[in-house]
Amino acid sequence: MGDPKAFLNIPRQEAGYRPIHERITDFSQVEQTLNSHDRKLQASRCMDCGVPFCHWSCPLGNKQPEFQDALYKGKWREAYQVLNETNDFPEFTGRICPALCEKSCILKLSCNSPVTIRENEAAIAEAAFREEYIVPFRPKRNGRKVAVIGAGPAGLSVAVQLNIRGYEVTIFDSKPMPGGLLRYGIPNFKLPKEVIDRRMNVLRAEGIRFEMGTHIDIQKLPTGFDAYAVCTGTPIARDLTISGRELKGIYFALDMLSQQNRILDGETFSKEDLVNAKGKQVLVIGGGDTGSDCIGTSIRQGATSVTQIEIMPQPPVGHNDATPWPQWPVVLKTTSSHEEGCTRRWSLASNRFIGKNGKVCGVEVEEVEWFSEKSDNRPTMKPTGKKEIIETDMVLLAMGFLKPEHPQLPENVFIAGDAANGTSLVVRALADGRKVAAEIDKYLS
């Protein structure tokens, strides 16, 4: 490493977010960036620890110490080349990945101040596009054709890896534009869609074909292909089947998130179909990232108030003795959307929706307690009888998605990403896409 002791005198510096009063008025990216000098200083903090747990914890196997060293030395092209060896889309993960690598960084484990790996990754990717290090690669074709069903992270990863190996790849997707949840689930203020478009232009230049707006039945796959990769994600959201579920004003999270992204892309919707929080008291049920995205979107649409409830107990701040490394640290996470104005509550179960004139006007909730049995690691929930009614005009259900079940498929059909494993991180979908691409290549070889 260029400066193996830099971590001793250079503190962690994050780029931070745009001011709240400014960012809630638009859907532009909330995260800022450091200048090149400060970014290189942050890369210098990578301490040549000898055993890079960051590399071990990354589903993609990114070589963080190597690209940090190149970045510190100002070798931006080399930094991108190292990063691109393992990650086909660092401009995506550099913005939306929860950074498992940082949770395993020695500086996180020793002094709670990890290297800014995720931000550095995004900076490297942006420099690569800005300086035109990224040049479309047209490989020699091997005469084989592969169809990829689904243009989300896993499908795109499969396509890129097979295209590099010389296969003619065609991606089919029912949506009008590629990206899957990257485009239709994640808000623009976290991932601007021009970032997706920029990469898709590269993929097209490399010879990957896109058949958008085409619904494919996986039991009636298109003919003319030697193999197929099913990367259709987890399309069915987890529902809350309690009394009053039929009332108007109760939506799945993606009903709002997807529609808002489509509106920003130029689409229009009738007043009856519009899912908008303007002037409403919004209740978000579910405490994960999707729930957080609903909060930020509701605030930008003009909600009068936003409340988020979670059935699990509030996790501790900073450190949790119950989830020591190498487990994922279950600690309180405050996102940029939470900072913008939201009431957060925990250990609340929803009993019934309350309506007036066919529209939701409240939700009866009940406090619950959680107990851990010594013989079983799974906690047990117990209702306390303490009930109350939360007034609301709009309910957004953000409780995750159901793992899909697939019929028996021919041996030349492979399943990748969330479609195979259930809901997970984008970085894991990308990693699984690379793995399945290798399996297809082995099968066809």
Side-chain angles (χ1 to χ4, degrees):
M1 305 299 290
D3 187 355
K5 296 184 179 180
F7 71 94
L8 295 172
N9 51 50
I10 296 176
R12 175 182 168 96
Q13 181 184 0
E14 298 178 19
Y17 304 114
R18 295 162 54 207
I20 292 176
H21 72 276
E22 172 190 309
R23 70 186 193 234
I24 63 173
T25 63
D26 59 47
F27 283 86
S28 298
Q29 184 169 298
V30 299
E31 191 168 52
Q32 302 182 116
T33 187
L34 300 179
N35 60 51
S36 296
H37 175 266
D38 288 342
R39 183 57 63 203
K40 290 194 289 186
L41 285 179
Q42 288 304 298
S44 75
R45 297 184 67 245
C46 188
M47 58 184 290
D48 192 17
C49 57
V51 181
F53 295 123
C54 56
H55 167 76
W56 165 83
S57 64
C58 177
L60 286 166
N62 284 347
K63 303 173 184 176
Q64 290 88 345
E66 282 84 348
F67 71 70
Q68 303 293 349
D69 183 45
L71 174 55
Y72 165 61
K73 294 174 180 176
K75 300 178 180 179
W76 292 82
R77 183 190 293 270
E78 179 183 323
Y80 179 75
Q81 290 171 342
V82 172
L83 181 54
N84 192 231
E85 286 178 8
T86 55
N87 188 349
D88 299 310
F89 307 102
E91 68 273 25
F92 301 161
T93 53
R95 285 175 166 85
I96 61 172
C97 186
L100 287 74
C101 51
E102 292 188 24
K103 307 304 184 290
S104 295
C105 177
I106 293 295
L107 292 179
K108 164 68 176 178
L109 305 177
S110 60
C111 58
N112 198 33
S113 185
V115 176
T116 54
I117 301 172
R118 180 188 60 79
E119 290 188 17
N120 293 356
E121 181 176 306
I124 292 169
E126 289 307 303
F129 277 102
R130 183 175 63 249
E131 302 299 329
E132 298 183 350
Y133 299 152
I134 299 172
V135 179
F137 173 68
R138 294 298 294 260
K140 181 180 178 181
R141 297 301 172 187
N142 61 20
R144 304 271 187 159
K145 297 182 179 181
V146 178
V148 176
I149 316 303
L156 294 173
S157 184
V158 171
V160 168
Q161 288 299 305
L162 289 176
N163 186 68
I164 290 173
R165 291 169 165 90
Y167 295 90
E168 290 187 28
V169 181
T170 302
I171 302 178
F172 296 87
D173 197 286
S174 60
K175 296 292 192 295
M177 299 287 283
L181 282 182
L182 294 172
R183 182 179 297 276
Y184 295 105
I186 297 176
N188 284 29
F189 56 78
K190 289 173 62 177
L191 178 62
K193 300 309 173 267
E194 57 267 24
V195 173
I196 301 176
D197 295 336
R198 180 179 61 184
R199 178 62 75 169
M200 295 307 104
N201 290 335
V202 175
L203 268 56
R204 290 188 178 94
E206 291 181 334
I208 296 174
R209 299 173 183 174
F210 289 85
E211 294 289 343
M212 305 306 300
T214 305
H215 178 76
I216 300 294
D217 184 343
I218 64 172
Q219 292 186 285
K220 298 178 182 178
L221 293 168
T223 59
F225 295 93
D226 299 292
Y228 304 83
V230 174
C231 310
T232 48
T234 51
I236 302 177
R238 183 173 284 109
D239 206 345
L240 186 59
T241 54
I242 57 177
S243 174
R245 177 62 179 87
E246 74 285 351
L247 293 167
K248 293 182 179 180
I250 304 171
Y251 306 96
F252 290 116
L254 281 187
D255 292 341
M256 166 188 269
L257 299 177
S258 176
Q259 188 183 94
Q260 180 59 59
N261 285 357
R262 292 166 66 184
I263 289 172
L264 293 172
D265 203 35
E267 292 189 50
T268 57
F269 295 86
S270 66
K271 183 178 180 181
E272 293 75 23
D273 295 331
L274 197 63
V275 183
N276 194 283
K278 185 176 181 179
K280 297 178 181 178
Q281 301 175 86
V282 177
L283 176 65
V284 179
I285 300 179
D289 287 336
T290 302
S292 169
D293 293 342
C294 289
I295 294 167
T297 301
S298 297
I299 290 171
R300 284 160 178 75
Q301 289 182 348
T304 58
S305 66
V306 184
T307 300
Q308 182 183 38
I309 63 174
E310 164 68 68
I311 197 170
M312 299 301 293
Q314 179 176 348
V317 177
H319 177 75
N320 188 343
D321 290 332
T323 56
W325 186 84
Q327 297 181 58
W328 174 260
V330 180
V331 296
L332 182 65
K333 180 179 180 180
T334 301
T335 68
S336 61
S337 294
H338 291 135
E339 294 174 353
E340 292 163 4
C342 170
T343 300
R344 305 174 70 185
R345 300 183 63 184
W346 289 265
S347 297
L348 288 179
S350 303
N351 287 343
R352 62 187 178 98
F353 295 113
I354 301 169
K356 184 177 181 180
N357 299 324
K359 297 182 180 179
V360 68
C361 63
V363 180
E364 182 188 271
V365 297
E366 181 175 0
E367 288 187 24
V368 296
E369 294 178 346
W370 291 89
F371 302 93
S372 295
E373 301 291 341
K374 291 183 179 180
S375 58
D376 188 356
N377 291 328
R378 298 185 64 179
T380 302
M381 183 185 78
K382 179 182 178 182
T384 64
K386 299 178 181 178
K387 301 178 182 179
E388 64 175 288
I389 294 175
I390 299 178
E391 295 183 0
T392 179
D393 308 305
M394 173 185 276
V395 176
L396 297 171
L397 305 179
M399 304 178 298
F401 300 84
L402 300 176
K403 182 178 178 180
E405 296 182 1
H406 301 285
Q408 187 70 33
L409 298 169
E411 65 174 12
N412 66 337
V413 179
F414 298 77
I415 305 176
D418 289 359
N421 308 310
T423 308
S424 189
L425 304 175
V426 167
V427 67
R428 289 203 173 104
L430 295 176
D432 197 54
R434 292 173 71 98
K435 178 178 75 71
V436 168
E439 292 173 357
I440 293 174
D441 181 50
K442 182 179 179 181
Y443 170 79
L444 293 178
S445 299

